[in-house]
Amino acid sequence: MRTVLLLALLALQSAEGSLDEKVSPLLPKPEEERWLQIPWRSDFAVARSEANRVGKPIFLWMMDGNPLGCT
Amino acid sequence: MELLQRDFIPVAANTAYLAPEEKKGRNWCESSRFLEKIIEKSGLRKQDESETAQGHYAFSAAGDVYGSINTNDPDEVLAILKRAKKEFAAARPAKVELKESSLGPESPVPEGAIVLRVFSRITPLPAGLDELHRRRNGQLGRDHLWLLKSDAAEMLSRLKAAKEADAPPALSTRLCRFHLTDNVRGESDLWGPEDVKKRSFTVAKLAETETAMTVRLTGSYAMLMTGIKVEGRPKKSEMGLEGTIEGILELDKAKGTFSGGKLYASATGWGASTFTPDEPPGKFPVKFAMVVATDAVSRQVAPQGIMNSGREQYLAPK
């Protein structure tokens, strides 16, 4: 039973290793995630209230499809 | 970036939610009414009311508009930011009384679901592309995938007494119709039920304890859409994608939910959809990575398929 479990774990680790090698090159590079360093608010009403309260202008990025989620 | 971090309240929004092209589609809440006035003052929505209002806007909470533009040129956006900062400082608007303090998420993540970030790339880029095509096709496509509690329950049920089984149809159909798409150059037309020509997905038990199960998902798929009127082209054309998917899904047996997952898909694509012209000629490789989201934004922003086909279709696709 232990041998079977060990073999299953080894197979899993091997599969995950191979999967990581395929997935990693597709993930965003740091420069492709720089826009996330901007503290985007996702709720327009919250953003307007905050701008009103703290006295700052609003910058709105509006796209067909939420720009934080799609392309 | 510093200007945005320090001097502005930056907000991202979906035009289709807050200011859709069709007037009858608008919800006319306080925020939507206010935003429509901003759009009107900016002139960014073209004279024809069927035109989209997408773009960048700088304005005050009181409704003073400092600038707007629909561009990908960072210098043009920067110019608007600088002007907005200057004009705002020169005449600080009075505070206004707001009734609406939150809109809530546009489409909340269902209870018990986990969110995976989905990335797509055309890689390797075909040789011989000109600069425009290299830039357009070298971009990164993004979306969010919801793995539902009902998918997990179905998977656990199918693997209760079997080592291998067909994957839950709702999950494999959701992957095919809404996530395995070439969105590298922008928002793609998502596959309809009739466009999915092949969908063969299997799950196999890799390891199991009293509380958890690890499952390997594999599959193959083929999608084809015809009669597409690609923007800027005189003739209708077709778009296709076919390939394989593999990955690991972790299940929490006690909760009956997914606790983790990582998927990889490799496909051959061809053609373009309405708003994704400039594809490489002929057939080209499209690859996908889906990994568990760890950021707050991913739980706030719904999958593109929900905007495209509605929440019901996304959760239980045909």
Side-chain angles (χ1 to χ4, degrees):
Chain A
M1 183 65 182
R2 277 184 184 171
T3 311
V4 173
L5 269 176
L6 189 62
L7 285 172
L9 272 173
L10 285 171
L12 176 60
Q13 280 172 350
S14 164
E16 283 186 336
S18 162
L19 188 61
D20 281 340
E21 285 166 19
K22 291 173 181 170
V23 163
S24 294
L26 304 175
L27 300 180
K29 299 176 180 75
E31 63 270 23
E32 289 172 317
E33 295 277 68
R34 279 190 72 214
W35 60 284
L36 281 174
Q37 291 170 20
I38 296 168
W40 294 106
R41 278 65 163 175
S42 59
D43 186 317
F44 184 83
V46 169
R48 189 181 173 205
S49 295
E50 187 180 350
N52 191 42
R53 192 177 66 250
V54 302
K56 286 184 180 180
I58 297 163
F59 178 73
L60 168 68
W61 178 21
M62 187 161 67
M63 301 298 287
D64 292 338
N66 195 307
L68 300 184
C70 59
T71 49
Chain B
M1 192 178 284
E2 276 175 27
L3 204 58
L4 271 178
Q5 288 169 329
R6 189 187 56 222
D7 299 322
F8 286 82
I9 301 297
V11 56
N14 178 2
T15 316
Y17 178 54
L18 269 182
E21 292 174 28
E22 295 289 333
K23 262 189 173 179
K24 63 184 178 191
R26 294 175 201 155
N27 61 16
W28 299 119
C29 61
E30 182 182 54
S31 293
S32 187
R33 284 198 309 272
F34 170 76
L35 187 54
E36 202 54 46
K37 284 182 188 161
I38 298 291
I39 294 165
E40 202 176 304
K41 282 187 195 173
S42 75
L44 203 55
R45 194 197 290 283
K46 293 175 189 167
Q47 296 304 309
D48 175 357
E49 285 191 353
S50 68
E51 293 289 343
T52 176
Q54 62 183 349
H56 302 91
Y57 298 79
F59 53 92
S60 75
D64 310 283
V65 177
Y66 307 119
S68 64
I69 196 164
N70 187 8
T71 180
N72 288 325
D73 184 338
D75 291 334
E76 290 183 302
V77 175
L78 186 61
I80 285 180
L81 289 173
K82 285 181 177 171
R83 189 169 76 229
K85 184 185 173 188
K86 195 174 167 186
E87 289 183 16
F88 184 86
R92 295 182 81 85
K95 290 193 175 174
V96 287
E97 194 177 324
L98 300 175
K99 289 178 187 153
E100 207 165 59
S101 58
S102 170
L103 294 175
E106 185 181 333
S107 187
V109 180
E111 191 203 339
I114 66 165
V115 182
L116 268 61
R117 294 184 78 187
V118 182
F119 301 105
S120 58
R121 290 188 193 272
I122 294 177
T123 182
L125 268 183
L129 298 181
D130 61 24
E131 206 246 316
L132 168 77
H133 285 78
R134 267 204 313 278
R135 183 170 52 78
R136 295 268 292 141
N137 291 289
Q139 297 179 146
L140 174 69
R142 302 166 191 267
D143 199 1
H144 296 121
L145 160 68
W146 288 351
L147 294 180
L148 308 180
K149 191 172 183 175
S150 53
D151 300 326
E154 180 74 26
M155 202 173 284
L156 286 168
S157 165
R158 288 175 178 229
L159 292 173
K160 193 172 182 181
K163 282 184 179 172
E164 194 172 306
D166 287 341
L171 173 59
S172 57
T173 307
R174 193 179 311 120
L175 282 164
C176 286
R177 283 193 51 201
F178 303 120
H179 295 289
L180 294 168
T181 178
D182 168 19
N183 59 357
V184 166
R185 294 173 307 284
E187 182 195 332
S188 57
D189 298 341
L190 299 180
W191 312 107
E194 69 284 0
D195 299 327
V196 181
K197 309 299 180 190
K198 179 187 175 190
R199 176 177 55 83
S200 175
F201 285 54
T202 304
V203 285
K205 210 187 295 184
L206 275 183
E208 186 175 18
T209 66
E210 291 220 341
T211 56
M213 186 188 287
T214 304
V215 169
R216 180 172 181 80
L217 179 140
T218 51
S220 56
Y221 47 85
M223 281 78 82
L224 179 69
M225 192 184 287
T226 56
I228 306 167
K229 180 75 183 75
V230 180
E231 201 174 42
R233 286 187 198 165
K235 286 183 183 170
K236 290 185 177 177
S237 59
E238 71 170 42
M239 170 178 73
L241 190 92
E242 56 186 34
T244 58
I245 187 166
E246 61 183 285
I248 303 287
L249 296 168
E250 305 280 352
L251 292 123
D252 182 323
K253 287 167 66 180
K255 290 181 183 167
T257 59
F258 290 102
S259 55
K262 188 180 287 181
L263 300 171
Y264 165 81
S266 174
T268 298
W270 65 94
S273 58
T274 312
F275 303 113
T276 61
D278 303 323
E279 78 279 15
K283 295 196 169 181
F284 49 90
V286 191
K287 296 192 172 75
F288 303 86
M290 306 179 195
V291 295
V292 172
T294 53
D295 59 302
V297 166
S298 295
R299 290 197 76 83
Q300 291 161 3
V301 179
Q304 183 69 10
I306 288 188
M307 184 188 124
N308 186 278
S309 305
R311 188 176 172 94
E312 198 178 319
Q313 269 290 302
Y314 183 83
L315 298 180
K318 292 177 182 141

